Amino acid sequence: MTTSNVDSVRMKQNLTALVAINTENPPGREREAAECVAGWLEEAGFDLSFSEYAPGRTNVTAVLRNGSGPCFAFNTHLDVVPAGEGWTQDPFTLTEREGKLYGRGACDAKGPMVAMIEALRLLSAQRDGWSGTLMGVFTADEEVASEGAKHYVRDAPPAIDFAVIGEPTSNATFSAHKGSLRPRVRVKGVSAHSGTPELGVNAIYSAAKLLGLVEEAHHQQVRCRCHPLVGNASLTVTRVHGGHADNVVPESCELLLDRRMVPGEDEAAVKAELQQLLQTAQTRYGVEAEIVAWQPTTGGATETDSAEAIVQASLDACRRYGQPDPGPFGFQGGCDLVHFRTLGAKGVVIGPGSLAVAHKPDEFVPIEEFIAAASIYRAIALAMLPVEAAS
């Protein structure tokens, strides 16, 4: 394995700077990090632009046009999850020990971002080796609802042919991910004094009947939908809230359902199934319930066929730079690949570090993977932007 031309000292310095910028989401405040990234890439010869969907919630886009050919984009997110408790060092001070770099965002996803920035620098300095348009699209708010990526897509950007999304995959290739829907369901009852409960309708009891149907639907219908890379779809409940006083029969109870979709499922059809579930509760048990809101999520499921050139190029690059089991695999959760797929991009998800340590105290990225990721990213871009494409 060789990582020639990769400046590992510069990469560590860049990651130190980004980790020190607190972009915990909520509230996000990605503007400072976006400006930091913009400064590095402007020095490398890229054209830079910013876009905001809310004050301080900022995307940054870098573009380098180098002759005719496809458009290739690197993407990952500027925000991180809250640091939380349990750290053995300051989460916003990058700390190196035993071959690992520790800090909030080290692997999810400021480590992948720095590796992408290094690859973009190297590609800018190697313009005789590729032809087309090269982009870095670094977005806000992936961790809560992917609002940054959704805003970027709504802004009608140019079509992107190929995209690599940076998330911690231990430098393996992931070509599919799940999607999610989270309906907030209100179950209705009739209040009464708790001393005379027969004069009311207990919404919590009614919600319990609906929950039985949710469990039944998961086991008998939803989980039977299986995808070879991401596994089965699912339906579960993640929150319950009912009642407002100790001595009052509750007139309402709210449930938050979590429906994980697999590639090939249609979002509109899944929403219709959830509505039908409430209708079944009405017909079978007399339960009155309605979906009062859809909670924000990262989005739907997607996949790029394993036979596509970018998947094959990614597998080759991951293998060449130290990953003996390069995939392709599938994410159980969601990410921003689905939004780039709506632009026509065929894409994959690759990055240093492991999801097993993301979102936890003492998050880290292995230094060897971190440095190798820059070479992986560069190799994929070179494969997808060949000079012979210029004609």
Side-chain angles (χ1 to χ4, degrees):
M1 178 179 71
T2 177
T3 55
S4 60
N5 301 324
V6 172
D7 189 334
S8 60
V9 173
R10 177 171 62 187
M11 289 180 66
K12 289 181 183 179
Q13 291 172 342
N14 289 171
L15 186 56
T16 297
L18 277 183
V19 167
I21 300 172
N22 185 338
T23 56
E24 290 175 296
N25 188 13
R29 300 187 301 258
E30 295 93 348
R31 180 76 191 195
E32 183 182 351
E35 290 176 347
C36 181
V37 168
W40 293 332
L41 291 176
E42 190 170 39
E43 288 179 359
F46 287 79
D47 295 324
L48 273 298
S49 62
F50 299 98
S51 64
E52 290 190 343
Y53 69 89
R57 309 309 304 272
T58 307
N59 297 336
V60 57
T61 302
V63 181
L64 181 60
R65 295 174 178 84
N66 187 43
S68 62
C71 179
F72 182 100
F74 290 114
N75 161 261
T76 190
H77 55 95
L78 295 154
D79 62 318
V80 297
V81 296
E85 304 295 329
W87 288 77
T88 58
Q89 76 281 320
D90 178 7
F92 301 108
T93 299
L94 194 71
T95 305
E96 179 176 346
R97 64 176 186 269
E98 298 179 348
K100 301 170 184 175
L101 298 171
Y102 290 83
R104 176 54 86 217
C107 73
D108 189 14
K110 291 178 177 178
M113 182 180 295
V114 168
M116 288 178 165
I117 290 166
E118 184 68 14
L120 289 167
R121 287 182 175 125
L122 297 174
L123 290 161
S124 178
Q126 188 188 352
R127 298 186 203 186
D128 59 347
W130 58 275
S131 183
T133 298
L134 182 63
M135 300 179 67
V137 182
F138 302 119
T139 54
D141 189 47
E142 187 271 350
E143 293 291 3
V144 173
S146 287
E147 288 296 340
K150 292 172 184 175
H151 175 73
Y152 177 78
V153 170
R154 284 195 302 267
D155 208 27
I160 294 173
D161 298 292
F162 307 108
V164 175
I165 313 300
E167 293 284 354
T169 70
S170 299
N171 283 352
T173 298
F174 282 62
S175 57
H177 66 72
K178 287 183 178 179
S180 57
L181 288 170
R182 294 194 184 100
R184 186 155 56 89
V185 178
R186 181 173 298 149
V187 180
K188 301 174 184 178
V190 177
S191 63
H193 193 288
S194 60
T196 55
E198 67 277 5
L199 299 180
V201 176
N202 193 314
I204 293 178
Y205 289 163
S206 296
K209 295 174 183 176
L210 175 57
L211 287 175
L213 291 178
V214 169
E215 185 176 20
E216 180 182 302
H218 168 73
H219 288 290
Q220 297 184 7
Q221 179 184 10
V222 177
R223 73 187 300 270
C224 301
R225 297 167 189 171
C226 201
H227 184 275
L229 296 183
V230 304
N232 60 279
S234 62
L235 173 62
T236 191
V237 60
T238 57
R239 291 181 185 269
V240 178
H241 182 267
H244 67 278
D246 292 350
N247 59 350
V248 177
V249 172
E251 64 180 3
S252 71
C253 180
E254 287 200 355
L255 313 173
L256 185 64
L257 305 184
D258 185 296
R259 174 65 160 88
R260 297 291 166 141
M261 298 175 288
V262 300
E265 286 196 287
D266 178 72
E267 186 171 317
V270 171
K271 286 185 172 181
E273 287 178 356
L274 291 168
Q275 293 284 3
Q276 181 57 49
L277 186 66
L278 302 189
Q279 183 59 48
T280 299
Q282 167 74 46
T283 303
R284 191 180 299 182
Y285 301 118
V287 171
E288 291 188 46
E290 62 177 339
I291 295 173
V292 294
W294 296 91
Q295 296 294 98
T297 69
T298 52
T302 195
E303 68 175 321
T304 301
D305 191 277
S306 298
E308 292 288 347
I310 190 169
V311 178
Q312 294 302 311
S314 298
L315 295 172
D316 178 68
C318 292
R319 188 180 296 109
R320 195 188 331 162
Y321 291 101
Q323 174 49 268
D325 189 14
F329 302 113
F331 264 148
Q332 296 302 302
C335 75
D336 283 343
L337 176 60
V338 65
H339 305 298
F340 284 81
R341 292 285 283 141
T342 66
L343 298 176
K346 297 171 182 176
V348 294
V349 185
I350 299 172
S354 170
L355 279 176
V357 300
H359 297 197
K360 294 184 178 181
D362 290 347
E363 174 186 346
F364 68 86
V365 62
I367 295 174
E368 186 175 357
E369 282 184 19
F370 173 54
I371 304 305
S375 292
I376 291 171
Y377 292 146
R378 176 179 59 173
I380 298 169
L382 288 172
M384 304 315 296
L385 297 173
V387 174
E388 54 266 30
S391 58

